[in-house]
Amino acid sequence: QPQRIMAKDQDEGIKAAIMYSLSSDVAEASFFTIDQHTGYVFLNSDVPDDKITQPVSLSIYATQTDNPDRRAGTILTVSRRGFKSSQLLFVKTLYNVSVPENILPGSVITETIINKDIDENVRFRLSPSGDGVFRITSSGQVLLETHLDYEDPHSQQYNLQIVVTDGEYNDTAE
């Protein structure tokens, strides 16, 4: 049974109410609901083995009720008990990220998620190499390496592939 997702208003003294929502960005999201007031995630019904890909990544959002522009998101990864895959896979294979021009170098742009624990055999790399603009950490976080300049037509859009290997299996995300 999935657990409760929790968020809180970080503004001192305000403590605005939070409303939770579940994105329908993956087909498997239709098997789940989230209580918009408590953040508890529930299965709608028993799910047949052939109807769900393991593991499932659900996009969850917490929005302040007094200001819908104040929104935070997270990925909830759900799998069946006892499910264990030895094949290394990205849980999400497409990452589309918009980055403000004023974000500081060293900032995390996105974090990749794989279906197994990261150990000393798991290696991530960017292809192309990130050209000094991006780098990837050993935990799968993509970091900004330099200041962005959107007036330069060559730095308005980047398409990178993220490759992960554990020495036996490889997978790629974009």
Side-chain angles (χ1 to χ4, degrees), residues 99-101 103-110 126 128-136 141-150 152 154-160:
V99 180
E101 185 175 20
I103 195 165
L104 295 175
S107 297
V108 176
I109 303 301
T110 191
L126 293 176
S129 65
D131 297 327
V133 179
F134 303 99
R135 74 176 174 90
I136 193 160
Q141 293 180 323
V142 179
L143 305 178
L144 181 65
E145 282 289 283
T146 187
H147 289 281
L148 296 175
D149 179 9
Y150 287 156
D152 177 356
H154 295 99
S155 66
Q156 293 180 359
Q157 182 174 342
Y158 295 90
N159 295 308
L160 301 170

PDB file of all heavy atoms in Angstrom, residues 99-101 103-110 126 128-136 141-150 152 154-160:
ATOM      1  N   VAL A  99      14.834  25.386 -17.857  1.00  0.00           N
ATOM      2  CA  VAL A  99      15.766  25.936 -16.875  1.00  0.00           C
ATOM      3  C   VAL A  99      15.795  27.453 -17.031  1.00  0.00           C
ATOM      4  O   VAL A  99      16.072  27.957 -18.120  1.00  0.00           O
ATOM      5  CB  VAL A  99      17.186  25.359 -17.092  1.00  0.00           C
ATOM      6  CG1 VAL A  99      18.163  25.924 -16.084  1.00  0.00           C
ATOM      7  CG2 VAL A  99      17.151  23.842 -17.037  1.00  0.00           C
ATOM      8  N   PRO A 100      15.526  28.194 -15.960  1.00  0.00           N
ATOM      9  CA  PRO A 100      15.630  29.653 -16.041  1.00  0.00           C
ATOM     10  C   PRO A 100      17.063  30.077 -16.330  1.00  0.00           C
ATOM     11  O   PRO A 100      18.016  29.431 -15.893  1.00  0.00           O
ATOM     12  CB  PRO A 100      15.201  30.142 -14.655  1.00  0.00           C
ATOM     13  CG  PRO A 100      14.598  28.975 -13.969  1.00  0.00           C
ATOM     14  CD  PRO A 100      15.088  27.737 -14.650  1.00  0.00           C
ATOM     15  N   GLU A 101      17.222  31.167 -17.055  1.00  0.00           N
ATOM     16  CA  GLU A 101      18.543  31.645 -17.435  1.00  0.00           C
ATOM     17  C   GLU A 101      19.380  32.057 -16.222  1.00  0.00           C
ATOM     18  O   GLU A 101      20.597  31.963 -16.236  1.00  0.00           O
ATOM     19  CB  GLU A 101      18.388  32.834 -18.379  1.00  0.00           C
ATOM     20  CG  GLU A 101      19.680  33.352 -18.946  1.00  0.00           C
ATOM     21  CD  GLU A 101      19.459  34.455 -19.964  1.00  0.00           C
ATOM     22  OE1 GLU A 101      18.381  35.077 -19.980  1.00  0.00           O
ATOM     23  OE2 GLU A 101      20.382  34.695 -20.745  1.00  0.00           O
ATOM     24  N   ILE A 103      19.584  30.624 -13.262  1.00  0.00           N
ATOM     25  CA  ILE A 103      19.913  29.558 -12.311  1.00  0.00           C
ATOM     26  C   ILE A 103      21.431  29.480 -12.153  1.00  0.00           C
ATOM     27  O   ILE A 103      22.182  29.675 -13.112  1.00  0.00           O
ATOM     28  CB  ILE A 103      19.295  28.203 -12.743  1.00  0.00           C
ATOM     29  CG1 ILE A 103      19.322  27.214 -11.588  1.00  0.00           C
ATOM     30  CG2 ILE A 103      19.971  27.659 -13.960  1.00  0.00           C
ATOM     31  CD1 ILE A 103      18.439  26.010 -11.801  1.00  0.00           C
ATOM     32  N   LEU A 104      21.855  29.223 -10.948  1.00  0.00           N
ATOM     33  CA  LEU A 104      23.285  29.244 -10.637  1.00  0.00           C
ATOM     34  C   LEU A 104      23.988  27.949 -11.035  1.00  0.00           C
ATOM     35  O   LEU A 104      23.413  26.854 -10.909  1.00  0.00           O
ATOM     36  CB  LEU A 104      23.483  29.481  -9.142  1.00  0.00           C
ATOM     37  CG  LEU A 104      23.009  30.829  -8.622  1.00  0.00           C
ATOM     38  CD1 LEU A 104      23.154  30.889  -7.106  1.00  0.00           C
ATOM     39  CD2 LEU A 104      23.789  31.957  -9.278  1.00  0.00           C
ATOM     40  N   PRO A 105      25.239  28.048 -11.491  1.00  0.00           N
ATOM     41  CA  PRO A 105      26.028  26.839 -11.744  1.00  0.00           C
ATOM     42  C   PRO A 105      26.097  25.987 -10.476  1.00  0.00           C
ATOM     43  O   PRO A 105      26.151  26.504  -9.361  1.00  0.00           O
ATOM     44  CB  PRO A 105      27.410  27.393 -12.116  1.00  0.00           C
ATOM     45  CG  PRO A 105      27.115  28.752 -12.678  1.00  0.00           C
ATOM     46  CD  PRO A 105      25.963  29.272 -11.856  1.00  0.00           C
ATOM     47  N   GLY A 106      26.065  24.680 -10.657  1.00  0.00           N
ATOM     48  CA  GLY A 106      26.062  23.747  -9.532  1.00  0.00           C
ATOM     49  C   GLY A 106      24.666  23.315  -9.133  1.00  0.00           C
ATOM     50  O   GLY A 106      24.499  22.392  -8.346  1.00  0.00           O
ATOM     51  N   SER A 107      23.638  23.985  -9.688  1.00  0.00           N
ATOM     52  CA  SER A 107      22.253  23.642  -9.359  1.00  0.00           C
ATOM     53  C   SER A 107      21.856  22.321 -10.011  1.00  0.00           C
ATOM     54  O   SER A 107      22.292  21.997 -11.119  1.00  0.00           O
ATOM     55  CB  SER A 107      21.296  24.733  -9.843  1.00  0.00           C
ATOM     56  OG  SER A 107      21.554  25.958  -9.191  1.00  0.00           O
ATOM     57  N   VAL A 108      21.005  21.569  -9.317  1.00  0.00           N
ATOM     58  CA  VAL A 108      20.468  20.316  -9.861  1.00  0.00           C
ATOM     59  C   VAL A 108      19.376  20.672 -10.858  1.00  0.00           C
ATOM     60  O   VAL A 108      18.413  21.360 -10.526  1.00  0.00           O
ATOM     61  CB  VAL A 108      19.908  19.416  -8.742  1.00  0.00           C
ATOM     62  CG1 VAL A 108      19.274  18.165  -9.331  1.00  0.00           C
ATOM     63  CG2 VAL A 108      21.010  19.048  -7.753  1.00  0.00           C
ATOM     64  N   ILE A 109      19.517  20.201 -12.092  1.00  0.00           N
ATOM     65  CA  ILE A 109      18.537  20.448 -13.149  1.00  0.00           C
ATOM     66  C   ILE A 109      17.451  19.382 -13.119  1.00  0.00           C
ATOM     67  O   ILE A 109      16.274  19.672 -13.250  1.00  0.00           O
ATOM     68  CB  ILE A 109      19.219  20.453 -14.539  1.00  0.00           C
ATOM     69  CG1 ILE A 109      20.332  21.494 -14.582  1.00  0.00           C
ATOM     70  CG2 ILE A 109      18.223  20.656 -15.649  1.00  0.00           C
ATOM     71  CD1 ILE A 109      19.875  22.901 -14.308  1.00  0.00           C
ATOM     72  N   THR A 110      17.842  18.136 -12.968  1.00  0.00           N
ATOM     73  CA  THR A 110      16.900  17.033 -12.837  1.00  0.00           C
ATOM     74  C   THR A 110      17.623  15.864 -12.176  1.00  0.00           C
ATOM     75  O   THR A 110      18.849  15.839 -12.116  1.00  0.00           O
ATOM     76  CB  THR A 110      16.295  16.605 -14.194  1.00  0.00           C
ATOM     77  OG1 THR A 110      15.202  15.711 -13.976  1.00  0.00           O
ATOM     78  CG2 THR A 110      17.314  15.920 -15.089  1.00  0.00           C
ATOM     79  N   LEU A 126      26.657  11.367 -19.672  1.00  0.00           N
ATOM     80  CA  LEU A 126      25.873  12.149 -20.620  1.00  0.00           C
ATOM     81  C   LEU A 126      26.436  11.944 -22.010  1.00  0.00           C
ATOM     82  O   LEU A 126      27.641  11.844 -22.197  1.00  0.00           O
ATOM     83  CB  LEU A 126      25.933  13.638 -20.275  1.00  0.00           C
ATOM     84  CG  LEU A 126      25.272  14.065 -18.983  1.00  0.00           C
ATOM     85  CD1 LEU A 126      25.502  15.553 -18.745  1.00  0.00           C
ATOM     86  CD2 LEU A 126      23.781  13.767 -19.014  1.00  0.00           C
ATOM     87  N   PRO A 128      25.706  13.781 -25.877  1.00  0.00           N
ATOM     88  CA  PRO A 128      27.119  14.111 -25.808  1.00  0.00           C
ATOM     89  C   PRO A 128      27.516  14.482 -24.386  1.00  0.00           C
ATOM     90  O   PRO A 128      26.664  14.595 -23.522  1.00  0.00           O
ATOM     91  CB  PRO A 128      27.261  15.299 -26.773  1.00  0.00           C
ATOM     92  CG  PRO A 128      25.899  15.863 -26.936  1.00  0.00           C
ATOM     93  CD  PRO A 128      24.935  14.757 -26.663  1.00  0.00           C
ATOM     94  N   SER A 129      28.775  14.743 -24.182  1.00  0.00           N
ATOM     95  CA  SER A 129      29.340  14.851 -22.842  1.00  0.00           C
ATOM     96  C   SER A 129      28.768  15.971 -21.984  1.00  0.00           C
ATOM     97  O   SER A 129      29.083  16.064 -20.813  1.00  0.00           O
ATOM     98  CB  SER A 129      30.844  15.030 -22.945  1.00  0.00           C
ATOM     99  OG  SER A 129      31.123  16.269 -23.581  1.00  0.00           O
ATOM    100  N   GLY A 130      27.927  16.835 -22.525  1.00  0.00           N
ATOM    101  CA  GLY A 130      27.400  17.978 -21.779  1.00  0.00           C
ATOM    102  C   GLY A 130      28.122  19.249 -22.152  1.00  0.00           C
ATOM    103  O   GLY A 130      27.737  20.335 -21.753  1.00  0.00           O
ATOM    104  N   ASP A 131      29.193  19.121 -22.929  1.00  0.00           N
ATOM    105  CA  ASP A 131      29.938  20.258 -23.485  1.00  0.00           C
ATOM    106  C   ASP A 131      30.286  21.327 -22.455  1.00  0.00           C
ATOM    107  O   ASP A 131      30.261  22.518 -22.740  1.00  0.00           O
ATOM    108  CB  ASP A 131      29.159  20.892 -24.643  1.00  0.00           C
ATOM    109  CG  ASP A 131      28.974  19.927 -25.808  1.00  0.00           C
ATOM    110  OD1 ASP A 131      29.881  19.106 -26.030  1.00  0.00           O
ATOM    111  OD2 ASP A 131      27.934  20.006 -26.471  1.00  0.00           O
ATOM    112  N   GLY A 132      30.569  20.922 -21.233  1.00  0.00           N
ATOM    113  CA  GLY A 132      30.928  21.878 -20.200  1.00  0.00           C
ATOM    114  C   GLY A 132      29.754  22.652 -19.639  1.00  0.00           C
ATOM    115  O   GLY A 132      29.921  23.477 -18.750  1.00  0.00           O
ATOM    116  N   VAL A 133      28.561  22.400 -20.153  1.00  0.00           N
ATOM    117  CA  VAL A 133      27.363  23.093 -19.675  1.00  0.00           C
ATOM    118  C   VAL A 133      26.666  22.261 -18.601  1.00  0.00           C
ATOM    119  O   VAL A 133      26.160  22.791 -17.621  1.00  0.00           O
ATOM    120  CB  VAL A 133      26.394  23.394 -20.845  1.00  0.00           C
ATOM    121  CG1 VAL A 133      25.134  24.083 -20.346  1.00  0.00           C
ATOM    122  CG2 VAL A 133      27.084  24.239 -21.907  1.00  0.00           C
ATOM    123  N   PHE A 134      26.660  20.954 -18.782  1.00  0.00           N
ATOM    124  CA  PHE A 134      26.010  20.035 -17.847  1.00  0.00           C
ATOM    125  C   PHE A 134      26.980  18.926 -17.461  1.00  0.00           C
ATOM    126  O   PHE A 134      27.895  18.600 -18.206  1.00  0.00           O
ATOM    127  CB  PHE A 134      24.771  19.394 -18.491  1.00  0.00           C
ATOM    128  CG  PHE A 134      23.772  20.377 -18.984  1.00  0.00           C
ATOM    129  CD1 PHE A 134      23.726  20.731 -20.319  1.00  0.00           C
ATOM    130  CD2 PHE A 134      22.856  20.966 -18.118  1.00  0.00           C
ATOM    131  CE1 PHE A 134      22.794  21.654 -20.784  1.00  0.00           C
ATOM    132  CE2 PHE A 134      21.937  21.882 -18.559  1.00  0.00           C
ATOM    133  CZ  PHE A 134      21.902  22.227 -19.902  1.00  0.00           C
ATOM    134  N   ARG A 135      26.732  18.331 -16.307  1.00  0.00           N
ATOM    135  CA  ARG A 135      27.455  17.127 -15.915  1.00  0.00           C
ATOM    136  C   ARG A 135      26.480  16.262 -15.118  1.00  0.00           C
ATOM    137  O   ARG A 135      25.459  16.737 -14.634  1.00  0.00           O
ATOM    138  CB  ARG A 135      28.721  17.430 -15.125  1.00  0.00           C
ATOM    139  CG  ARG A 135      28.511  17.876 -13.715  1.00  0.00           C
ATOM    140  CD  ARG A 135      29.870  18.059 -13.000  1.00  0.00           C
ATOM    141  NE  ARG A 135      29.690  18.613 -11.695  1.00  0.00           N
ATOM    142  CZ  ARG A 135      29.510  17.895 -10.590  1.00  0.00           C
ATOM    143  NH1 ARG A 135      29.522  16.578 -10.640  1.00  0.00           N
ATOM    144  NH2 ARG A 135      29.342  18.485  -9.418  1.00  0.00           N
ATOM    145  N   ILE A 136      26.809  14.994 -14.993  1.00  0.00           N
ATOM    146  CA  ILE A 136      25.952  14.077 -14.242  1.00  0.00           C
ATOM    147  C   ILE A 136      26.770  13.487 -13.095  1.00  0.00           C
ATOM    148  O   ILE A 136      27.951  13.170 -13.258  1.00  0.00           O
ATOM    149  CB  ILE A 136      25.340  12.984 -15.144  1.00  0.00           C
ATOM    150  CG1 ILE A 136      24.227  12.259 -14.411  1.00  0.00           C
ATOM    151  CG2 ILE A 136      26.397  12.067 -15.715  1.00  0.00           C
ATOM    152  CD1 ILE A 136      23.261  11.525 -15.307  1.00  0.00           C
ATOM    153  N   GLN A 141      22.158  12.686 -10.756  1.00  0.00           N
ATOM    154  CA  GLN A 141      21.675  14.062 -10.808  1.00  0.00           C
ATOM    155  C   GLN A 141      22.377  14.799 -11.951  1.00  0.00           C
ATOM    156  O   GLN A 141      23.597  14.725 -12.087  1.00  0.00           O
ATOM    157  CB  GLN A 141      21.967  14.810  -9.511  1.00  0.00           C
ATOM    158  CG  GLN A 141      21.199  14.306  -8.325  1.00  0.00           C
ATOM    159  CD  GLN A 141      21.554  15.099  -7.069  1.00  0.00           C
ATOM    160  OE1 GLN A 141      22.698  15.486  -6.859  1.00  0.00           O
ATOM    161  NE2 GLN A 141      20.558  15.330  -6.233  1.00  0.00           N
ATOM    162  N   VAL A 142      21.589  15.531 -12.751  1.00  0.00           N
ATOM    163  CA  VAL A 142      22.148  16.358 -13.811  1.00  0.00           C
ATOM    164  C   VAL A 142      22.312  17.764 -13.245  1.00  0.00           C
ATOM    165  O   VAL A 142      21.353  18.359 -12.752  1.00  0.00           O
ATOM    166  CB  VAL A 142      21.251  16.369 -15.065  1.00  0.00           C
ATOM    167  CG1 VAL A 142      21.852  17.274 -16.140  1.00  0.00           C
ATOM    168  CG2 VAL A 142      21.068  14.952 -15.599  1.00  0.00           C
ATOM    169  N   LEU A 143      23.545  18.277 -13.307  1.00  0.00           N
ATOM    170  CA  LEU A 143      23.877  19.583 -12.737  1.00  0.00           C
ATOM    171  C   LEU A 143      24.238  20.570 -13.842  1.00  0.00           C
ATOM    172  O   LEU A 143      24.806  20.185 -14.867  1.00  0.00           O
ATOM    173  CB  LEU A 143      25.073  19.475 -11.789  1.00  0.00           C
ATOM    174  CG  LEU A 143      24.988  18.485 -10.639  1.00  0.00           C
ATOM    175  CD1 LEU A 143      26.285  18.494  -9.845  1.00  0.00           C
ATOM    176  CD2 LEU A 143      23.820  18.812  -9.732  1.00  0.00           C
ATOM    177  N   LEU A 144      23.931  21.840 -13.595  1.00  0.00           N
ATOM    178  CA  LEU A 144      24.365  22.915 -14.477  1.00  0.00           C
ATOM    179  C   LEU A 144      25.798  23.259 -14.114  1.00  0.00           C
ATOM    180  O   LEU A 144      26.120  23.449 -12.937  1.00  0.00           O
ATOM    181  CB  LEU A 144      23.461  24.141 -14.295  1.00  0.00           C
ATOM    182  CG  LEU A 144      23.779  25.338 -15.185  1.00  0.00           C
ATOM    183  CD1 LEU A 144      23.540  24.985 -16.655  1.00  0.00           C
ATOM    184  CD2 LEU A 144      22.933  26.530 -14.776  1.00  0.00           C
ATOM    185  N   GLU A 145      26.684  23.349 -15.103  1.00  0.00           N
ATOM    186  CA  GLU A 145      28.101  23.624 -14.856  1.00  0.00           C
ATOM    187  C   GLU A 145      28.469  25.078 -15.068  1.00  0.00           C
ATOM    188  O   GLU A 145      29.476  25.536 -14.541  1.00  0.00           O
ATOM    189  CB  GLU A 145      28.967  22.764 -15.784  1.00  0.00           C
ATOM    190  CG  GLU A 145      29.107  21.343 -15.334  1.00  0.00           C
ATOM    191  CD  GLU A 145      29.979  21.226 -14.102  1.00  0.00           C
ATOM    192  OE1 GLU A 145      31.207  21.311 -14.216  1.00  0.00           O
ATOM    193  OE2 GLU A 145      29.415  21.072 -13.006  1.00  0.00           O
ATOM    194  N   THR A 146      27.715  25.830 -15.861  1.00  0.00           N
ATOM    195  CA  THR A 146      28.077  27.197 -16.209  1.00  0.00           C
ATOM    196  C   THR A 146      26.813  28.037 -16.321  1.00  0.00           C
ATOM    197  O   THR A 146      25.703  27.504 -16.349  1.00  0.00           O
ATOM    198  CB  THR A 146      28.879  27.220 -17.530  1.00  0.00           C
ATOM    199  OG1 THR A 146      29.362  28.542 -17.757  1.00  0.00           O
ATOM    200  CG2 THR A 146      28.033  26.798 -18.707  1.00  0.00           C
ATOM    201  N   HIS A 147      26.977  29.348 -16.385  1.00  0.00           N
ATOM    202  CA  HIS A 147      25.826  30.239 -16.560  1.00  0.00           C
ATOM    203  C   HIS A 147      25.235  30.049 -17.956  1.00  0.00           C
ATOM    204  O   HIS A 147      25.967  29.868 -18.927  1.00  0.00           O
ATOM    205  CB  HIS A 147      26.246  31.706 -16.388  1.00  0.00           C
ATOM    206  CG  HIS A 147      26.564  32.054 -14.971  1.00  0.00           C
ATOM    207  ND1 HIS A 147      25.593  32.302 -14.033  1.00  0.00           N
ATOM    208  CD2 HIS A 147      27.745  32.189 -14.329  1.00  0.00           C
ATOM    209  CE1 HIS A 147      26.156  32.579 -12.876  1.00  0.00           C
ATOM    210  NE2 HIS A 147      27.476  32.504 -13.018  1.00  0.00           N
ATOM    211  N   LEU A 148      23.912  30.104 -18.047  1.00  0.00           N
ATOM    212  CA  LEU A 148      23.229  30.012 -19.337  1.00  0.00           C
ATOM    213  C   LEU A 148      23.060  31.410 -19.915  1.00  0.00           C
ATOM    214  O   LEU A 148      22.873  32.378 -19.179  1.00  0.00           O
ATOM    215  CB  LEU A 148      21.860  29.356 -19.168  1.00  0.00           C
ATOM    216  CG  LEU A 148      21.873  27.907 -18.698  1.00  0.00           C
ATOM    217  CD1 LEU A 148      20.451  27.419 -18.463  1.00  0.00           C
ATOM    218  CD2 LEU A 148      22.571  27.026 -19.721  1.00  0.00           C
ATOM    219  N   ASP A 149      23.107  31.506 -21.252  1.00  0.00           N
ATOM    220  CA  ASP A 149      22.903  32.774 -21.941  1.00  0.00           C
ATOM    221  C   ASP A 149      21.934  32.519 -23.081  1.00  0.00           C
ATOM    222  O   ASP A 149      22.324  32.041 -24.145  1.00  0.00           O
ATOM    223  CB  ASP A 149      24.239  33.311 -22.468  1.00  0.00           C
ATOM    224  CG  ASP A 149      24.089  34.620 -23.227  1.00  0.00           C
ATOM    225  OD1 ASP A 149      22.983  35.216 -23.201  1.00  0.00           O
ATOM    226  OD2 ASP A 149      25.072  35.053 -23.850  1.00  0.00           O
ATOM    227  N   TYR A 150      20.657  32.836 -22.864  1.00  0.00           N
ATOM    228  CA  TYR A 150      19.644  32.543 -23.872  1.00  0.00           C
ATOM    229  C   TYR A 150      19.698  33.492 -25.066  1.00  0.00           C
ATOM    230  O   TYR A 150      19.000  33.293 -26.051  1.00  0.00           O
ATOM    231  CB  TYR A 150      18.254  32.535 -23.239  1.00  0.00           C
ATOM    232  CG  TYR A 150      18.018  31.312 -22.371  1.00  0.00           C
ATOM    233  CD1 TYR A 150      17.081  31.332 -21.350  1.00  0.00           C
ATOM    234  CD2 TYR A 150      18.725  30.138 -22.568  1.00  0.00           C
ATOM    235  CE1 TYR A 150      16.855  30.227 -20.555  1.00  0.00           C
ATOM    236  CE2 TYR A 150      18.508  29.020 -21.780  1.00  0.00           C
ATOM    237  CZ  TYR A 150      17.579  29.076 -20.777  1.00  0.00           C
ATOM    238  OH  TYR A 150      17.357  27.972 -19.999  1.00  0.00           O
ATOM    239  N   ASP A 152      22.391  33.764 -26.760  1.00  0.00           N
ATOM    240  CA  ASP A 152      23.222  32.961 -27.654  1.00  0.00           C
ATOM    241  C   ASP A 152      22.338  31.863 -28.245  1.00  0.00           C
ATOM    242  O   ASP A 152      21.832  31.003 -27.517  1.00  0.00           O
ATOM    243  CB  ASP A 152      24.380  32.343 -26.864  1.00  0.00           C
ATOM    244  CG  ASP A 152      25.262  31.430 -27.708  1.00  0.00           C
ATOM    245  OD1 ASP A 152      24.956  31.205 -28.896  1.00  0.00           O
ATOM    246  OD2 ASP A 152      26.261  30.932 -27.161  1.00  0.00           O
ATOM    247  N   HIS A 154      22.937  29.181 -29.666  1.00  0.00           N
ATOM    248  CA  HIS A 154      23.421  27.820 -29.445  1.00  0.00           C
ATOM    249  C   HIS A 154      23.124  27.304 -28.044  1.00  0.00           C
ATOM    250  O   HIS A 154      23.338  26.142 -27.756  1.00  0.00           O
ATOM    251  CB  HIS A 154      24.928  27.739 -29.726  1.00  0.00           C
ATOM    252  CG  HIS A 154      25.263  27.987 -31.159  1.00  0.00           C
ATOM    253  ND1 HIS A 154      25.703  29.207 -31.616  1.00  0.00           N
ATOM    254  CD2 HIS A 154      25.178  27.186 -32.235  1.00  0.00           C
ATOM    255  CE1 HIS A 154      25.886  29.143 -32.924  1.00  0.00           C
ATOM    256  NE2 HIS A 154      25.581  27.923 -33.326  1.00  0.00           N
ATOM    257  N   SER A 155      22.681  28.181 -27.147  1.00  0.00           N
ATOM    258  CA  SER A 155      22.436  27.738 -25.776  1.00  0.00           C
ATOM    259  C   SER A 155      20.971  27.894 -25.372  1.00  0.00           C
ATOM    260  O   SER A 155      20.662  28.078 -24.216  1.00  0.00           O
ATOM    261  CB  SER A 155      23.346  28.492 -24.806  1.00  0.00           C
ATOM    262  OG  SER A 155      23.007  29.864 -24.784  1.00  0.00           O
ATOM    263  N   GLN A 156      20.067  27.838 -26.345  1.00  0.00           N
ATOM    264  CA  GLN A 156      18.649  27.949 -26.026  1.00  0.00           C
ATOM    265  C   GLN A 156      17.992  26.591 -25.834  1.00  0.00           C
ATOM    266  O   GLN A 156      16.969  26.484 -25.180  1.00  0.00           O
ATOM    267  CB  GLN A 156      17.923  28.741 -27.120  1.00  0.00           C
ATOM    268  CG  GLN A 156      18.353  30.186 -27.139  1.00  0.00           C
ATOM    269  CD  GLN A 156      17.649  30.985 -28.205  1.00  0.00           C
ATOM    270  OE1 GLN A 156      16.847  30.466 -28.958  1.00  0.00           O
ATOM    271  NE2 GLN A 156      17.948  32.268 -28.274  1.00  0.00           N
ATOM    272  N   GLN A 157      18.569  25.558 -26.413  1.00  0.00           N
ATOM    273  CA  GLN A 157      18.000  24.219 -26.270  1.00  0.00           C
ATOM    274  C   GLN A 157      19.121  23.192 -26.324  1.00  0.00           C
ATOM    275  O   GLN A 157      20.028  23.283 -27.146  1.00  0.00           O
ATOM    276  CB  GLN A 157      16.998  23.938 -27.395  1.00  0.00           C
ATOM    277  CG  GLN A 157      16.352  22.588 -27.270  1.00  0.00           C
ATOM    278  CD  GLN A 157      15.259  22.374 -28.301  1.00  0.00           C
ATOM    279  OE1 GLN A 157      14.761  23.305 -28.898  1.00  0.00           O
ATOM    280  NE2 GLN A 157      14.895  21.134 -28.512  1.00  0.00           N
ATOM    281  N   TYR A 158      19.030  22.215 -25.416  1.00  0.00           N
ATOM    282  CA  TYR A 158      20.010  21.133 -25.369  1.00  0.00           C
ATOM    283  C   TYR A 158      19.259  19.806 -25.403  1.00  0.00           C
ATOM    284  O   TYR A 158      18.236  19.656 -24.746  1.00  0.00           O
ATOM    285  CB  TYR A 158      20.838  21.199 -24.082  1.00  0.00           C
ATOM    286  CG  TYR A 158      21.701  22.431 -23.991  1.00  0.00           C
ATOM    287  CD1 TYR A 158      21.223  23.592 -23.397  1.00  0.00           C
ATOM    288  CD2 TYR A 158      22.991  22.426 -24.501  1.00  0.00           C
ATOM    289  CE1 TYR A 158      22.015  24.725 -23.310  1.00  0.00           C
ATOM    290  CE2 TYR A 158      23.789  23.553 -24.416  1.00  0.00           C
ATOM    291  CZ  TYR A 158      23.293  24.695 -23.824  1.00  0.00           C
ATOM    292  OH  TYR A 158      24.080  25.805 -23.739  1.00  0.00           O
ATOM    293  N   ASN A 159      19.763  18.879 -26.165  1.00  0.00           N
ATOM    294  CA  ASN A 159      19.226  17.524 -26.195  1.00  0.00           C
ATOM    295  C   ASN A 159      20.344  16.580 -25.780  1.00  0.00           C
ATOM    296  O   ASN A 159      21.351  16.471 -26.467  1.00  0.00           O
ATOM    297  CB  ASN A 159      18.720  17.159 -27.597  1.00  0.00           C
ATOM    298  CG  ASN A 159      17.551  18.008 -28.004  1.00  0.00           C
ATOM    299  OD1 ASN A 159      16.576  18.122 -27.272  1.00  0.00           O
ATOM    300  ND2 ASN A 159      17.633  18.636 -29.167  1.00  0.00           N
ATOM    301  N   LEU A 160      20.151  15.945 -24.636  1.00  0.00           N
ATOM    302  CA  LEU A 160      21.164  15.051 -24.094  1.00  0.00           C
ATOM    303  C   LEU A 160      20.591  13.663 -23.906  1.00  0.00           C
ATOM    304  O   LEU A 160      19.401  13.518 -23.632  1.00  0.00           O
ATOM    305  CB  LEU A 160      21.651  15.560 -22.733  1.00  0.00           C
ATOM    306  CG  LEU A 160      22.270  16.948 -22.685  1.00  0.00           C
ATOM    307  CD1 LEU A 160      22.458  17.373 -21.242  1.00  0.00           C
ATOM    308  CD2 LEU A 160      23.594  16.964 -23.428  1.00  0.00           C
TER     309      LEU A 160
END
